[in-house]
Structure formats: C-alpha cells, structure tokens
Amino acid sequence: MLRVTNLKKRFGGLTALQGVDLHVPRRAILGIIGMNGSGKTTLLNCINGLYVPDEGRIELDGQPIGGLPTHEIARRGVGRTFQVPRVFAHLSLLDNLDVAQQQTPRSAEERQSQSEYWLHKVELYRLRHNHAEELSGGQQKLLELARIMVARPKVILLDEPFAGVNPSLAQLLISIIREVPTEHDCSVVLVSHDLTSIYQLSHHIIVMNEGAILCEGDADVVRNDERVVEAYLGA
Amino acid sequence: MSGLLIQGLINGLILGAIYGLIGVGLNVVFGVLRVVNFAHGEFLVLGAYFAYFLMEQAGVNPVAALPLAFLVFFAAGYALYYVLIPRLSRSDDPELSSLLLMFGVSIMLGALMLLVFDADARTLPFSIEPVFLKFGPVLIPSVRLLALAIALATIGALAWFLYRTQVGKALRAIIMNRDAVRIVGINAERLSAVAFGLGIGLAGVTGVLVALVFPSFSPFMGNDYTLIGFIVIVLGGLGHPVGALVGALLFGVTEQVSVVFFNPSIATILGFALMVGMIFARPTGLFGQRVLR
C-alpha cells in the first residue's frame, strides 16, 4: 500500500529525516511515536506533499507520489489530519464535508448522504448546520477525521489525533480509527504521544529519534526495547 | 427638504449598490489570494470602454453587453493570474509585493488606456424611456434604477454561487485555510485563478454599470474606483459579499445624504471619516471574519 524508502529531509543545516524506511500494508494501522522534534510530523508532511523530500522514494500502490503537489497526492488517496485541526471555521459541518468531496464524481445527493453518514459516525450530526468554529477542539478533530474519510482515501495520516481531546471523545476517536481499516478498506498512519492508544490500535509501531527509526515492531517489542525506554520514556 | 433627503437616500442606495459590486470583486481577490489588486479600478474603466465600443461599433445594448463583459474579463483575469500571481509566492513578503505589482499594473493599464482611447472623457449614448421616473417629489433616472437592479441581481447571483455551489464553497474555504483546501484534493492554484478571473469579471461588469450610471468615464478614473472598493471592504469586512454590499450602501448613503446638507467636500470627509471610525471601532469590519491561514 504505502511504502517509504530512504526518505531524507533537511532544513538548512538541520537534518529532520535521515533515511526513513517504512511500509504500511493494506488495512493496517502503523503507529509512530517519538520525542518532540524526532521528525514524525515532517515525515507526514513529506508523505502528503506539504514538504518536498530531498531524497528517497514514496509509493502508493506501487506508484511514486513523492514530490507531487499536495492536492494530487490527496486525489490519489492520501488523507491527512493535523495536530491543530484545520477545519473551515466559517463553513457549516455539512459544507466542510461537501468541499472535501469536490474531486469525486458523486451527485449532490450522494455527497449529502456521505456527509450525513460520517457526521453520524463522529456523533456531530445534530450540529450539521453549525459553523465548525463553534465546535470544541476535540469535536473539530472528529470533524477533520470525517472530512478526510468522506473522500474514501486509501491511507490516512493522523497527526496527534488525541492531543487535547477529552477522554470520552478520545474513546470515540479510538473506536472509529480501529474500524477504519476493516470497514473502510483504508490504512492508517497514526502519530501520537499517547502510548496507550498507540499500543491499543497499532499493528506495527515505529519509534523515531532525531529523524531516524530507533526501533520497530509490535507493541510488546517496542515496550521492552531498552533503547526506547531510555530515549523515549527517559528511564 | 424631505424630498431632497429622500432623493439623497435613493441616490445613495443606487451608488452604494454599484460600490458594493466594486467591493465584492476586490474582496474575492484579496480574500482568496491576499493580493491587493490596485488595478481593479482600471479593469473597471476598461469594462466601461468595452461597453462603449460594443455599442458604438456593433450597436450592442449595454445590458446585453453585461454577460459578454463578464465572460471576456473573466477569461482575461484567469489567464492573467498565471502570468502575474504565482511568481509572487517566491517573494519574502508576497502581500507587499502584490501591492507593488498591482500598483504597477494599474499605472500600465491607465497609460495604455490613455494611449489607445485618448484623454477625452466618453459618455455612453444610451437611455431608456421614460428617462426619469417620478415618485412624489422624487425624480430618479430610469437608467439608474436599472443599474441598481442589475447590481443587486449580480451580487445575489454571486452570493448564490459562493454559498450554494461546490466551487463557491471551496472559494470560501480557501479564504479560511489554504493548506486544508489542498489536503482535501483541491488544486489551490486553479481555484485562485478562478477567484482572480471572478474578480476581474466583476470589475468588467461594474464598468458597464458605471458607464450607464455616471455621466462620463476616462482613463484617469481607475484609482478613484479602487479606493472606493477598499473603503467598502474596510466597512463591510473581508470575505463576506453581503458585508461588502452593506458597507457600500452605508458609504453611498452617507456620501449622498451629506451632499444634501453640506458642501461636497464635507460629504467626502464624512464618507472617509466613516471608514476611519470603523477601523478604530471594529477593525474586522461589520461582517469581517478572523482569517485562519
């Protein structure tokens, strides 16, 4: 599905990514953890085209997507959310989701139906006519998730989806993310500082440190890796 | 006195609606692109010449020239976007660069019009019967009422486009967050070109209306109309077509009613005092929105 090979990104003298490799199979959840500044968000920005990588290859279903414009990568099936949600603040929730379906060949009725389905799913349907700016931060994260899912992506990149979200909304997010691969045939790349959620959800976990992969494996492998305990947990 | 006051109010509403159209065109370009289009007034004057020559050379009625003006100016604006605007993103300060760039374009267009059309003021030889409509003590030129109806219909159509169509919603969305538009698969460059084309297209339409309503037009009048557009944006608020209309009506009525009571210079001062007061009291304008980028 999504394959990243030897990805490098520099900002002046700072090397943000120094040869990252990863593979996200179809219908899998890849968790990425790491300290602040370890390169997690830069990695997502390179995958979805907000940054142009200096070196390396990014492929989706075997097709290179590295260096393409962001909108082209999105059209090919890569969705993205941000740590600070970037909803369309003065549009209604329904319009937020309608705009996200502009590139689909759906009729107005189909778009409406998809929007309503996802607003039900994220439990915001009753607020569908409200402006997005009226939502809490956690609700905006749910709306942002719904906004990328209405386009039926192949892979979604979620950047800190649980940060600043109250526990009940976080549980809702977790349950939706968990069913995304199976119910919507979509892979997930999940960046989070919330280790519990990462361990619960991820099929495979990558630990990043200073722009490189420190270790990877399933939750048990990562939990017991001495380098991770030392570098990430500080113990 | 009450007749004069009503006359001033109605003139204010008519001019306000046309000013609103100027503001809406500028608003779309500034909101979406953050480009200060100093040449908006020159495009507007070009629209007036467009109607003039269509009528003089081909006998086309100015009302029939309106959709044609929109299409021609939209196409020109769409193409011009790719010539002018993408290069600005390479600048350290794209907004300031856009201001200087469009100021240069404004001067070039003004000089070009002077070269091609000469400095003489032109008048559109168009009238409709009856020339005046009388409402009690108030006498209104029919053509001005027609222009009012067209201006309001154009703003209504634009509001429908922005609020009811997918492209319109995307245009509003890009004002709020450019990156978020790109990550949902929308080509922000093409959408920006549509916004620029729309702004110039509206300038062309407004130019035809200006030629209908005002006694004359000349290559030197572009800056005045651009200035009015910016006043309207300050009053109404960025990114809100209804705001532009309300701001423009406020400005038009203030200006025209003041003329009834005071010296025209004082009327101008009052119009601009309204703008300065709005900046102090409510910098985002009446309907302004905080922009997230």
Side-chain angles (χ1 to χ4, degrees):
Chain A
M1 174 62 66
L2 178 70
R3 187 178 292 277
V4 172
T5 312
N6 193 30
L7 194 70
K8 293 182 182 174
K9 179 68 187 172
R10 285 178 290 276
F11 298 100
L14 174 76
T15 302
L17 295 175
Q18 38 187 338
V20 173
D21 297 304
L22 62 84
H23 175 230
V24 190
R26 189 174 171 190
R27 297 184 179 181
I29 298 180
L30 172 74
I32 302 179
I33 56 176
M35 303 283 280
N36 286 336
S38 60
K40 308 181 297 292
T41 298
T42 301
L43 175 60
L44 298 193
N45 285 343
C46 285
I47 294 173
N48 89 316
L50 285 176
Y51 294 159
V52 177
D54 294 319
E55 283 181 51
R57 192 171 171 83
I58 306 168
E59 293 173 356
L60 183 68
D61 286 337
Q63 298 297 312
I65 58 168
L68 290 176
T70 301
H71 70 270
E72 186 56 44
I73 292 174
R75 287 179 192 183
R76 292 186 185 206
V78 179
R80 166 80 195 269
T81 67
F82 294 88
Q83 184 167 358
V84 177
R86 299 187 185 181
V87 295
F88 303 125
H90 308 296
L91 294 189
S92 73
L93 274 53
L94 277 171
D95 282 348
N96 262 268
L97 271 52
D98 197 36
V99 167
Q101 298 177 75
Q102 188 167 105
Q103 304 310 317
T104 66
R106 297 171 201 158
S107 67
E109 291 74 25
E110 286 171 321
R111 295 199 309 269
Q112 174 89 6
S113 151
Q114 268 295 302
S115 300
E116 289 181 353
Y117 169 84
W118 275 102
L119 286 177
H120 275 298
K121 199 93 177 161
V122 298
E123 299 183 2
L124 294 173
Y125 182 75
R126 70 192 162 82
L127 301 170
R128 63 193 178 283
H129 297 301
N130 290 47
H131 281 187
E133 66 178 342
E134 296 166 38
L135 302 181
S136 69
Q139 288 173 320
Q140 289 191 5
K141 292 207 168 193
L142 285 161
L143 175 64
E144 206 180 27
L145 178 61
R147 193 178 65 186
I148 56 171
M149 290 308 299
V150 286
R152 294 187 191 140
K154 294 174 181 170
V155 183
I156 56 173
L157 315 173
L158 308 180
D159 195 355
E160 298 287 359
F162 313 113
V165 177
N166 73 47
S168 69
L169 290 185
Q171 272 312 312
L172 177 60
L173 269 168
I174 287 172
S175 69
I176 295 170
I177 294 167
R178 181 178 282 126
E179 67 184 37
V180 160
T182 49
E183 288 196 14
H184 303 286
D185 192 15
C186 178
S187 306
V188 179
V189 177
L190 175 62
V191 167
S192 179
H193 277 103
D194 183 349
L195 294 184
T196 312
S197 308
I198 287 274
Y199 291 150
Q200 271 181 37
L201 289 167
S202 307
H203 301 118
H204 191 81
I205 298 169
I206 283 175
V207 183
M208 292 188 68
N209 189 37
E210 295 181 354
I213 293 178
L214 186 66
C215 91
E216 60 182 299
D218 62 20
D220 285 336
V221 170
V222 169
R223 241 192 300 250
N224 296 313
D225 190 292
E226 284 180 14
R227 291 168 302 172
V228 175
V229 173
E230 189 179 335
Y232 188 70
L233 301 176
Chain B
M1 178 58 88
S2 65
L4 279 176
L5 185 62
I6 295 169
Q7 184 85 51
L9 269 172
I10 292 173
N11 280 339
L13 290 176
I14 292 167
L15 295 189
I18 292 174
Y19 293 168
L21 215 45
I22 300 172
V24 168
L26 266 177
N27 221 345
V28 169
V29 172
F30 185 58
V32 172
L33 306 170
R34 312 298 289 176
V35 164
V36 184
N37 184 9
F38 253 108
H40 193 85
E42 273 71 23
F43 285 110
L44 182 154
V45 176
L46 270 176
Y49 279 107
F50 181 82
Y52 176 83
F53 281 106
L54 267 185
M55 189 164 186
E56 284 282 294
Q57 307 293 327
V60 177
N61 181 314
V63 178
L66 283 162
L68 206 55
F70 180 76
L71 290 176
V72 168
F73 280 74
F74 176 88
Y78 189 89
L80 201 58
Y81 170 85
Y82 287 104
V83 176
L84 294 176
I85 309 299
R87 286 168 176 76
L88 288 174
S89 60
R90 296 179 206 152
S91 157
D92 289 338
D93 188 345
E95 282 184 36
L96 180 63
S97 300
S98 80
L99 191 144
L100 296 172
L101 172 79
M102 296 316 291
F103 190 58
V105 171
S106 147
I107 293 171
M108 280 169 59
L109 282 178
L112 187 69
M113 284 190 283
L114 194 59
L115 187 72
V116 176
F117 306 131
D118 296 328
D120 300 337
R122 311 280 175 116
T123 300
L124 196 65
F126 177 75
S127 63
I128 48 179
E129 291 297 332
V131 176
F132 288 97
L133 289 174
K134 198 167 188 310
F135 301 95
V138 180
L139 210 58
I140 304 169
S142 310
V143 79
R144 284 199 161 199
L145 280 181
L146 177 68
L148 172 66
I150 292 169
L152 292 178
T154 306
I155 290 174
L158 183 71
W160 176 86
F161 170 73
L162 290 174
Y163 285 85
R164 289 282 176 263
T165 68
Q166 269 203 309
V167 177
K169 288 174 191 174
L171 279 171
R172 288 166 57 220
I174 202 172
I175 293 175
M176 296 165 208
N177 199 309
R178 197 173 184 86
D179 275 346
V181 161
R182 292 159 66 203
I183 62 158
V184 298
I186 294 172
N187 185 338
E189 280 295 302
R190 190 174 300 161
L191 193 61
S192 299
V194 169
F196 201 72
L198 189 60
I200 304 301
L202 285 169
V205 167
T206 315
V208 179
L209 292 182
V210 162
L212 275 176
V213 166
F214 291 102
S216 65
F217 53 91
S218 75
F220 307 109
M221 296 171 76
N223 281 343
D224 296 344
Y225 291 118
T226 302
L227 185 60
I228 287 171
F230 282 116
I231 293 169
V232 163
I233 288 183
V234 169
L235 291 176
L238 175 65
H240 206 297
V242 177
L245 179 62
V246 173
L249 292 175
L250 199 61
F251 181 69
V253 168
T254 304
E255 196 185 59
Q256 292 299 312
V257 171
S258 305
V259 168
V260 174
F261 296 104
F262 310 112
N263 179 303
S265 299
I266 294 179
T268 306
I269 291 169
L270 282 176
F272 282 86
L274 195 66
M275 181 191 81
V276 173
M278 183 63 76
I279 293 173
F280 279 127
R282 193 176 159 83
T284 55
L286 289 171
F287 292 79
Q289 301 163 342
R290 196 165 58 92
V291 177
L292 308 170
R293 298 184 80 80

